[in-house]
Amino acid sequence: MIFHTSVRTFSRAKGHNALDQAAYRGALLLANPVTKAVYDYRGRAGVLRVRCMVPPDAPTWADDPQTLWIAAEAAEKRKDSTVCRNFQVTLPHELDEEQRWDLTLDIAKALVDRFGFALQVSHHAPTSEDPRNFYAHFLATTRRMEAQGLTSKTRELDGRINGKPEVDWIRSRVVQEVERHLDLAKVARRQHTETGLAERLAARRQTALPADLSTTPFDALLARYRDQARLMGLPDRHTHHAAKRELAQESRDGSPENRLALDPYSSHCLSRASGDGGEASSLGKAE
């Protein structure tokens, strides 16, 4: 199988809210008492199991989805706040449902132990034509869950650059857990991890190129393509000389609709193009 982990954030700036995201991923009915909005996704197919995972010292209410995500919404005061973060992980079809659920809980525990947030984990069955497409959602709060409730932000996960080391750790840990559970189930696993797949694709791209592309100088390659391929030419009316003639004619005519002749920027570009002795397209004013 191919182990795949994707990360996505949800923010108010994009019209998201935590209750809606949690209800959708868990096929739940959740309501926001402040806005009176109700999010009912109980009819969504494919959701096998749902559970909240929290740190050991979290308050007792934190493992209830309704209470947890109301608290997550209330903890964010800004109009553009990031309200939750989702990790989607593919699960091996070689395991049965109980084994996949055990794997999902172990991944969730590893995430909670490292980052200290609360999360809602949901196990999903395939809803596409591919019967092997099992996966899990790990919807996490963007704040740490402590004894007094949600506290500081998990800034180490913010941003594509600053958060990359932690995302790399998550992907590596997912691979470790998947391989461990496959070994426990005595399933012969093939080495199709995310890292291995990237390496094989890079090697395939390298071997697919002609041997001379990486060693042949550019001038030699250009000469070869001139001999073996047809280079497209410019229409006559777009040559530098034609542009000069049109510009001179427009200047003499003084036609008000001919903006190019009255545009000093375009004239400057044309005068620069005339000094290289080659052909150039007529240039209009940059917007």
Side-chain angles (χ1 to χ4, degrees), residues 95-169:
L95 301 178
D96 61 31
E97 183 176 335
E98 289 296 331
Q99 292 168 334
R100 280 192 300 272
W101 182 238
D102 289 341
L103 166 62
T104 302
L105 294 180
D106 283 348
I107 295 173
K109 184 178 184 303
L111 294 174
V112 171
D113 288 346
R114 185 170 182 88
F115 301 107
F117 48 40
L119 61 77
Q120 174 185 299
V121 54
S122 54
H123 179 201
H124 294 250
T127 55
S128 62
E129 296 180 356
D130 189 344
R132 302 168 298 176
N133 187 29
F134 291 92
Y135 60 97
H137 283 293
F138 302 85
L139 189 69
T141 61
T142 59
R143 295 180 179 271
R144 291 174 177 82
M145 178 64 74
E146 299 179 357
Q148 64 271 36
L150 292 168
T151 58
S152 59
K153 282 277 196 177
T154 52
R155 296 296 183 192
E156 65 270 31
L157 284 163
D158 288 351
R160 293 186 178 183
I161 297 176
N162 295 336
K164 186 178 186 303
E166 293 301 331
V167 172
D168 289 342
W169 179 89

Side-chain angles (χ1 to χ4, degrees), residues 202-231:
R204 183 178 300 175
R205 286 194 295 267
Q206 185 65 29
T207 56
L209 292 173
D212 60 346
L213 282 183
S214 59
T215 59
T216 305
F218 176 76
D219 291 341
L221 285 174
L222 182 60
R224 189 186 74 181
Y225 284 118
R226 280 174 173 164
D227 293 339
Q228 299 178 5
R230 180 175 65 86
L231 296 178

Side-chain angles (χ1 to χ4, degrees), residues 205-264:
R205 286 194 295 267
Q206 185 65 29
T207 56
L209 292 173
D212 60 346
L213 282 183
S214 59
T215 59
T216 305
F218 176 76
D219 291 341
L221 285 174
L222 182 60
R224 189 186 74 181
Y225 284 118
R226 280 174 173 164
D227 293 339
Q228 299 178 5
R230 180 175 65 86
L231 296 178
M232 294 182 64
L234 292 173
D236 290 340
R237 68 184 184 87
H238 284 165
T239 64
H240 165 62
H241 298 293
K244 285 185 66 177
R245 289 195 301 270
E246 292 175 1
L247 182 59
Q249 183 63 39
E250 291 166 354
S251 300
R252 288 194 299 269
D253 293 346
S255 302
E257 67 274 11
N258 292 326
R259 303 301 182 192
L260 182 62
L262 302 177
D263 189 342

Side-chain angles (χ1 to χ4, degrees), residues 7 64 69 124 136 172 195 212 274:
V7 185
D64 174 61
W69 297 113
H124 294 250
S172 175
T195 303
D212 60 346
S274 65

